[in-house]
């Protein structure tokens, strides 16, 4: 019995879906199914009742979940304790997506850097969300700051703290037809061209993209190699861009138009409890104190 088999079992149990479990663990559905089958063979019976539409635990599955969940938590705590004792590196790897280093986390990071000894290094890692979660699972990243449109996207094996909620805004060129609007909705954007630096956002982190998906549509998008290039396209009026309302972007050549939606973004601080050491423990305490002060 291996830890990855138990993680797959717990993910299946909590999501009631092999596909959702695979997405949560950032692996393939056949791998998750194989882990479950291997466990069932080792334990001598089924852990789930499978139909084409539903996955439900058996009595044995319920018993295993209770024990496995506790066991993995203890293992993760033990790994974290050992790392804390053996840690001498003084490095904290902080992951983020390009859209989510804003007026909140950037000042926090600077304040923390100013308050600690020069022996601790804050290493910023910019990656798309799936790679960040994979980095947390593989212990290459200590924590991430990300904005999400659905909390359920966060894998169950990760710890999280909600920092704040935020809306999105649309940036357009000064001559764009939407520039004079007090606000826009999804109905105003269905025929617009969007531009983004490096990668196109998904419905995981973009309210606009989620609203498009809920209409059964996809925004027309192009990408550029750098943020200045994308903003130049917006300034010329050739396309528009949507960003979190707290994104640190001010330009005399761009017009900020509020976007109204029933959906919103929640900004999270996320980490893997198994990936702990003294340096990260100090940083986490600092961030959690900042979150508590922000929410008071």
């Amino acid at each position: 019995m291996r830890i990855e088999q138990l993680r797959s079992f717990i993910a299946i149990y909590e999501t009631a879906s092999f596909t959702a479990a695979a997405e949560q663990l950032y692996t393939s559905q056949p791998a998750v199914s194989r882990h479950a089958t291997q466990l069932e063979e080792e334990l001598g019976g089924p852990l789930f009742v499978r139909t084409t539409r539903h996955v439900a635990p058996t009595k044995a599955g319920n018993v295993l979940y209770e024990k496995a969940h506790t066991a993995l938590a203890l293992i993760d705590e033990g790994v974290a304790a050992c790392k804390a004792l053996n840690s001498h590196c003084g490095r904290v790897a902080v992951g983020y997506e390009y859209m989510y280093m804003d007026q909140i986390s950037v000042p926090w990071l600077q304040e923390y850097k100013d308050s600690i000894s020069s022996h601790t290094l804050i290493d910023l890692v910019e990656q798309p969300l799936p790679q960040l979660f994979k980095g947390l699972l593989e212990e290459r990243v200590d924590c991430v700051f990300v904005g999400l449109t659905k909390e359920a996207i966060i894998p169950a094996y990760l710890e999280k703290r909600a920092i704040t909620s935020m809306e999105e805004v649309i940036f357009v060129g000064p001559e764009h037809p939407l520039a004079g609007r007090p606000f826009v909705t999804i109905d105003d954007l269905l025929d617009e061209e969007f531009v983004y630096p490096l990668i196109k956002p998904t419905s995981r982190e973009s309210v606009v993209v989620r609203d498009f998906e809920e209409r059964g549509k996809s925004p027309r998008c192009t990408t550029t190699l750098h943020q200045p290039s994308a903003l130049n396209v917006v300034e010329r009026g050739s396309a528009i861009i949507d960003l979190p309302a707290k994104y640190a972007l001010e330009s005399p050549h761009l017009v900020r138009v509020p976007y109204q939606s029933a959906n919103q973004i929640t900004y999270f601080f996320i980490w893997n409890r198994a990936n702990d050491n003294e340096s990260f423990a100090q940083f986490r305490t600092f961030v959690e104190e900042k979150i508590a002060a922000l929410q008071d």
Side-chain angles (χ1 to χ4, degrees):
M1 185 177 298
R2 302 195 304 274
I3 288 178
E4 60 267 27
Q5 294 172 339
L6 292 177
R7 291 199 187 280
S8 291
F9 164 77
I10 288 173
I12 297 167
Y13 188 100
E14 292 181 345
T15 63
S17 166
F18 284 79
T19 300
E23 292 176 351
Q24 186 179 93
L25 295 171
Y26 291 93
T27 187
S28 65
Q29 189 273 335
V32 167
S33 180
R34 183 173 64 254
H35 289 161
T37 300
Q38 290 168 343
L39 273 179
E40 290 175 329
E41 291 174 351
E42 182 174 348
L43 297 176
L47 297 172
F48 298 103
V49 176
R50 304 164 173 84
T51 69
T52 56
R53 294 187 177 183
H54 188 62
V55 176
T58 62
K59 185 176 180 180
N62 286 326
V63 171
L64 180 61
Y65 174 79
E66 180 182 352
K67 303 300 183 182
H69 192 278
T70 301
L72 281 184
L74 291 173
I75 289 172
D76 288 342
E77 290 174 6
V79 170
C82 290
K83 286 186 175 182
L85 290 173
N86 295 325
S87 175
H88 303 288
C89 63
R91 172 182 176 271
V92 178
V94 179
Y96 71 100
E97 289 188 294
Y98 82 93
M99 293 195 298
Y100 293 105
M101 289 300 283
D102 56 26
Q103 297 101 317
I104 297 175
S105 50
V106 170
W108 287 359
L109 288 170
Q110 188 58 54
E111 181 180 342
Y112 188 72
K113 289 179 183 178
D114 294 340
S115 67
I116 60 177
S117 70
S118 59
H119 299 295
T120 300
L121 172 67
I122 301 296
D123 186 12
L124 296 180
V125 180
E126 180 183 2
Q127 290 180 335
L129 185 64
Q131 284 89 323
L132 290 176
F133 283 165
K134 190 169 186 285
L136 286 170
L137 178 61
E138 296 175 353
E139 303 177 15
R140 292 181 287 102
V141 180
D142 291 301
C143 59
V144 299
F145 287 99
V146 293
L148 300 171
T149 59
K150 291 182 180 179
E151 183 173 348
I153 294 168
I154 302 173
Y157 61 84
L158 297 178
E159 299 289 333
K160 59 184 180 292
R161 295 287 185 272
I163 300 174
T164 188
S165 297
M166 64 181 82
E167 311 296 332
E168 276 191 341
V169 295
I170 308 298
F171 286 93
V172 301
E175 304 302 322
H176 194 280
L178 297 178
R181 299 283 298 275
F183 65 88
V184 294
T185 68
I186 187 62
D187 294 320
D188 302 305
L189 305 181
L190 295 177
D191 297 322
E192 293 291 335
E193 182 81 21
F194 291 79
V195 62
Y196 301 99
L198 298 177
I199 60 172
K200 303 172 184 178
T202 70
S203 59
R204 292 187 298 261
E205 64 271 2
S206 169
V207 171
V208 167
V209 178
R210 183 175 173 186
D211 287 349
F212 264 94
E213 286 192 358
E214 290 179 353
R215 291 292 187 92
K217 300 178 180 293
S218 298
R220 300 199 313 269
C221 301
T222 58
T223 59
T224 63
L225 293 177
H226 306 285
Q227 185 194 68
S229 301
L231 298 182
N232 287 337
V233 174
V234 176
E235 290 175 2
R236 294 197 302 268
S238 304
I240 66 175
I241 187 171
D242 59 292
L243 291 168
K246 295 184 182 293
Y247 189 81
L249 176 62
E250 297 295 338
S251 169
H253 306 297
L254 294 175
V255 177
R256 177 191 291 253
V257 184
Y259 177 68
Q260 289 193 352
S261 170
N263 297 312
Q264 65 177 7
I265 297 167
T266 303
Y267 194 38
F268 284 98
F269 173 64
I270 305 172
W271 70 96
N272 185 346
R273 62 175 173 266
N275 187 19
D276 210 349
N277 55 63
E278 184 177 354
S279 296
F280 175 60
Q282 293 175 351
F283 178 72
R284 188 179 70 242
T285 298
F286 170 85
V287 172
E288 291 189 307
E289 289 175 351
K290 286 293 183 183
I291 293 172
L294 185 67
Q295 295 175 347
D296 283 346

